[in-house]
Every structure is written in C-alpha cells, then in structure tokens.
Amino acid sequence: MAIYRREKAEGAGWRYVRVNLGPGRRGAEKPPYYIRFTIAGRRKWSEPFQTLKTAQEAEAGLPGVIEAQSKNLTLDELAQQRNAKRVPIKAAVETLAARWKQGTPPKG
C-alpha cells in the first residue's frame, strides 16, 4: 500500500503521484491524499483524506480491515478469532497465584 496525491500534468490531465515518505523526506503539502490498495486481486483507490496524518493512520489500519473483509467478519470478530487460543496474562497470573497459595511449586 502507498499514499498518493493528485497533480495536474501539462497536456495529460490529472495524474496520481506517490508521496515520498521516510527519513529525510517531507510529504507533499497539498491535499487531498489517496491510498492505493488491493482487494481480491483488484487495485482500488480510497476516498480522499485531507491531511497526511489521517492518510497514514488509515494506511496503518487497512491490512486488518482487508483481512476481515475477505473473511466476511467485523474487526471485533477477527480480533476474537485471532485471540481464541490465547490465555490473558491476568488469568495466567491468577492461576499461578492460586497454585502458590496451595503450596504447589511453580513448574519449569
């Protein structure tokens, strides 16, 4: 995924130009900004963003949205599916503390 903006090219109309970001680079100063991404093998453009920061935040969250959409899930359902077999730290600590109270030495 990348962030682009539209520029007027002489004699060619409007063109999308990639915004160069990274160490020592400044992003383009004129909005709107667009994100180019792929869903089901097709390249698509996002709706315009008015600031570079909002475009970057949207770009950071887009992979999770695309994965959830491909599985016909919401973001919350995808997070629950990813964390289904995980034991929360709080529950693990409570279990360990209960074992210590019973006098069982820690394993490992």
Side-chain angles (χ1 to χ4, degrees):
M1 285 178 281
I3 298 175
Y4 292 81
R5 66 191 248 344
R6 288 182 69 187
E7 287 184 358
K8 181 82 169 171
E10 292 182 31
W14 291 93
R15 298 284 184 238
Y16 288 94
V17 178
R18 187 174 179 159
V19 176
N20 288 326
L21 299 172
R25 303 256 182 170
R26 290 186 186 174
E29 297 177 5
K30 296 181 181 179
Y33 300 98
Y34 301 87
I35 299 174
R36 182 103 190 225
F37 56 93
T38 305
I39 293 181
R42 299 200 58 173
R43 302 282 289 166
K44 298 192 179 224
W45 292 101
S46 71
E47 296 297 319
F49 295 95
Q50 294 305 314
T51 64
L52 184 58
K53 185 176 181 179
T54 56
Q56 288 173 323
E57 290 170 357
E59 180 187 28
L62 200 56
V65 173
I66 292 173
E67 183 181 352
Q69 193 175 42
S70 69
K71 295 180 178 182
N72 293 328
L73 300 172
T74 64
L75 286 175
D76 290 335
E77 291 170 343
L78 180 65
Q80 288 174 356
Q81 188 180 45
R82 284 181 177 170
N83 297 329
K85 295 182 181 179
R86 292 184 181 173
V87 176
I89 292 175
K90 185 176 182 180
V93 169
E94 288 173 355
T95 303
L96 184 63
R99 285 184 186 165
W100 283 354
K101 283 183 180 179
Q102 293 175 356
T104 307
K107 296 179 182 178

